[in-house]
Amino acid sequence: QVQLAESGGGSVQSGGSLRLSCAISGYTYSSYCMGWYRQAPGKEREGIAAIDAEGNLSYTEAVKGRFTISHDNAENMLFLQMNSLKPDDTAMYYCAAVSAFRGCLAVVATDYNAMDYRGKGTLVTISS
């Protein structure tokens, strides 16, 4: 059974950092494209970072230069390093995965509903 479990959320002040983790069980990372999404109160869910099995990356403009997506194949983990956090980054953060296919990076970056597997989320709160 495939499961994704996020952790690492919390409350920090503006300018601080957090590192989110997504533990992957039930499949091998290298077979999938994965991404991080977030949903702020009263807003639609948005894709913020994506990575494919070859290590190609994609970021939404709002987080470029501040967030870094990465993976650890040995530990079967996905990470999101978040630096220079702003109050606008306050949201529930989710990881998700879809079986790899040509062009999956672009899909992962934008379409949460296309994902095969999704975690339950971890809350990030940034105070000013």
Side-chain angles (χ1 to χ4, degrees):
Q1 182 180 0
V2 175
Q3 290 186 327
L4 304 178
E6 304 91 340
S7 61
S11 297
V12 299
Q13 289 189 328
S14 181
S17 298
L18 284 172
R19 188 192 196 204
L20 304 185
S21 299
C22 176
I24 306 162
S25 61
Y27 72 86
T28 302
Y29 165 82
S30 59
S31 303
Y32 285 79
C33 285
M34 297 197 68
W36 285 97
Y37 303 79
R38 68 184 181 186
Q39 187 166 20
K43 296 186 178 180
E44 293 187 354
R45 199 186 317 259
E46 63 173 338
I48 57 173
I51 185 169
D52 66 15
E54 287 74 42
N56 298 304
L57 309 177
S58 175
Y59 297 97
T60 192
E61 283 298 324
V63 307
K64 276 184 181 178
R66 300 189 299 122
F67 291 10
T68 303
I69 187 172
S70 63
H71 64 86
D72 183 325
N73 281 352
E75 298 294 329
N76 224 21
M77 296 282 290
L78 182 73
F79 302 103
L80 185 68
Q81 178 66 43
M82 306 188 296
N83 299 327
S84 301
L85 285 161
K86 308 173 182 179
D88 284 350
D89 295 318
T90 294
M92 186 70 79
Y93 284 71
Y94 304 86
C95 64
V98 65
S99 297
F101 58 89
R102 183 183 292 273
C104 62
L105 191 68
V107 173
V108 171
T110 58
D111 192 352
Y112 181 78
N113 291 328
M115 308 307 281
D116 294 329
Y117 307 105
R118 307 172 185 87
K120 294 182 179 181
T122 186
L123 182 62
V124 172
T125 304
I126 312 302
S127 57
S128 57

